[in-house]
Amino acid sequence: MTALFNFQSLLLVILLLICTSTYLHHVFPGPMDRNKDGVLGVFWKGARIGERLSPYVSVACVIMAASIFIGT
């Protein structure tokens, strides 16, 4: 089953995209700010979400980690 058809896996992929985009924007802000539109704009938007909603994203990561740990 792919991540697109399993809701928990889809949420995990979205959280990883947000966290990775936020980290990369912190390290390399120039290239990300130039690509606000198009396909690479998804990473810029993920970085915005990660920067502005960081407490909620971190709580979601902890909940996701706990659910994966308990599920196995």
Side-chain angles (χ1 to χ4, degrees), residues 21-36 44 47-48 51:
S21 298
T22 305
Y23 174 74
L24 288 177
H25 186 263
H26 179 71
V27 175
F28 304 111
M32 265 219 195
D33 288 337
R34 284 193 301 260
N35 297 317
K36 293 181 183 178
W44 181 81
R48 291 295 106 173
E51 290 172 355

Side-chain angles (χ1 to χ4, degrees), residues 14-15 17-19 21-22 42-57:
I14 291 171
L15 281 173
L17 175 88
I18 290 171
C19 294
S21 298
T22 305
V42 172
F43 298 107
W44 181 81
K45 291 172 187 170
R48 291 295 106 173
I49 292 169
E51 290 172 355
R52 294 180 181 172
L53 299 176
S54 60
Y56 299 111
V57 171

Side-chain angles (χ1 to χ4, degrees), residues 1-17:
M1 188 176 273
T2 63
L4 297 176
F5 298 118
N6 187 354
F7 185 68
Q8 185 176 2
S9 297
L10 178 65
L11 286 178
L12 181 64
V13 168
I14 291 171
L15 281 173
L16 287 173
L17 175 88

